[in-house]
Amino acid sequence: MKKIFSFLGGILTGIINVLLGAGGGVIAVFLLKKCSLDQKQAQANALAVILPISVISLIIYSYHGYVNFFDNLLIIPQAVVGAVLGTAILKKISPKISKKLFGAFMIWAGIRMLTKI
């Protein structure tokens, strides 16, 4: 049963990530927690799941002409700095706090998506 759950969850992760441009990580975190990882481990390992999915998504979106690489170059350096800072912060907070921050961010993102149409 666990293998079927992981298989279907993996497919859902890929579909959500491609359709929404993100969001697959949320599904991946949920799946990884079901595999007995704690919140921090699930969040960290979700990145390993999302990286190849994101590369495939990038290729698909690029093929269809949706990607402006110049605009991305304006964001990537700051995002890398943010990733390094986030990793340092994650080391210092408890899994319980990490879980609450993750949930709060999901609520905030959902509200923004529903109200900023």
Side-chain angles (χ1 to χ4, degrees):
M1 187 67 170
K2 188 174 181 178
K3 287 183 181 184
I4 293 171
F5 178 74
S6 295
F7 177 79
L8 295 175
I11 290 173
L12 181 62
T13 299
I15 290 170
I16 295 296
N17 205 68
V18 171
L19 289 178
L20 303 180
V26 175
I27 305 294
V29 169
F30 172 76
L31 291 171
L32 292 165
K33 286 185 68 179
K34 289 291 182 187
C35 293
S36 301
L37 279 89
D38 71 24
Q39 185 70 29
K40 284 185 182 183
Q41 291 173 322
Q43 287 174 210
N45 283 279
L47 296 173
V49 171
I50 293 306
L51 179 62
I53 294 170
S54 294
V55 169
I56 296 298
S57 299
L58 174 63
I59 291 167
I60 293 167
Y61 281 126
S62 296
Y63 176 78
H64 291 287
Y66 295 123
V67 178
N68 181 330
F69 288 99
F70 180 75
D71 288 345
N72 292 322
L73 291 176
L74 301 173
I75 299 170
I76 291 171
Q78 293 83 354
V80 169
V81 170
V84 171
L85 291 172
T87 302
I89 293 167
L90 185 64
K91 289 179 186 178
K92 297 178 187 283
I93 60 175
S94 71
K96 185 176 179 180
I97 300 268
S98 177
K99 184 177 182 176
K100 289 181 188 256
L101 287 172
F102 184 78
F105 177 75
M106 296 313 309
I107 291 168
W108 174 80
I111 290 169
R112 291 227 1 124
M113 291 180 83
L114 290 172
T115 60
K116 303 288 183 184
I117 297 176

